[in-house]
Amino acid sequence: MSMLDPSTLTLLVTGATSGIGAATVRRFASAGARVVAVGRRAERLEALKAEFGDLIHPLVLDVRDEKATFEAFASLPAPFNAYNVVFANAGLALGLEPAYAADLEEWKTMVDTNITGLLVTVRASLPAMIERKQGHLVFTGSIAGDYSYPGANVYGATKAFVKQFSLNVWADVAGTGVRVTNIEPGLTETEFSMVRFGGDKERADKVYAGATPMTGEDIAEQVFFACTLPRHVNINRIQSMSSQQSFGPLAIKRDPV
């Protein structure tokens, strides 16, 4: 089996300023791929540019902004405009309160970022790859899209949407030269929990205490694997967990005896 040469790949990576996104930019650029690094924090994008030079095109953008996203993707300079991998990675979790106590604004933000931002990214980038008859859409899902846990209400629902959307898009594009993969990590230590808990480091650290979680680099390696397989191979889903994580028992809320 002949793997694809990473230097033939040009990626467009959203959520590139931290965690899985930044690790993926570094993994591919270190292998010679070109990367359009998309995010909202200009200084972090410039740091990636300083690290890898002409292989990186920084793009300061909020993918929830439909008009700005379509315009930015359409005006990318050569050779970055010939992207053949789009990693729609931008997303977040906010809060861990039960549905009856959750912050409605946090729910809306998760929907806007995890769903609307994803849809805008795909619709703005996919037609060009279809026209070129070569491309790969990669999404960041989560095991939360399959397995429920208390407090995951809207976050888990958005990741279930990502999972089903990825499969439905694959049904649409099969045979066009475009592939679709959903990456579904479990326990992974990035800035994820810091964002979820509003910058509360102590609370965020407790999520990983006593465990060896996966890292952004671990997930980036999965993206790299899926994208460098021969073009006749499509990986529909990659679901992974820390080796210390598994499935929980079904909850039974018993009446007091």
Side-chain angles (χ1 to χ4, degrees), residues 164-241:
Q164 194 60 40
F165 181 62
S166 72
L167 295 173
N168 287 349
V169 173
W170 175 232
D172 286 342
V173 304
T176 65
V178 175
R179 302 186 286 182
V180 184
T181 301
N182 194 35
I183 305 292
E184 304 170 14
L187 188 68
T188 305
E189 186 170 10
T190 60
E191 293 180 15
F192 176 86
S193 287
M194 283 285 283
V195 172
R196 172 169 244 168
F197 299 129
D200 186 336
K201 187 175 186 306
E202 183 179 356
R203 192 177 178 192
D205 287 346
K206 287 180 180 177
V207 174
Y208 311 107
T212 304
M214 296 185 292
T215 65
E217 288 72 22
D218 293 328
I219 310 308
E221 198 61 40
Q222 297 170 33
V223 178
F224 189 85
F225 167 74
C227 291
T228 54
L229 283 170
R231 295 195 185 282
H232 69 279
V233 180
N234 188 78
I235 300 295
N236 297 342
R237 303 170 66 187
I238 297 179
Q239 189 175 97
S240 58
M241 293 181 176

Side-chain angles (χ1 to χ4, degrees), residues 10 12 15 22 51 63 71 81 90 125 150 183 193 200 230 234 238-239:
T10 299
L12 192 158
E51 192 173 346
V63 293
E71 290 176 351
N81 59 348
S125 63
I183 305 292
S193 287
D200 186 336
N234 188 78
I238 297 179
Q239 189 175 97

Side-chain angles (χ1 to χ4, degrees), residues 23 35 50 54 87 95 104 137 142 172 178 184 198 212 226 228 239 250:
V35 185
D54 291 342
F87 184 25
L104 183 58
L137 287 172
S142 168
D172 286 342
V178 175
E184 304 170 14
T212 304
T228 54
Q239 189 175 97
L250 293 175

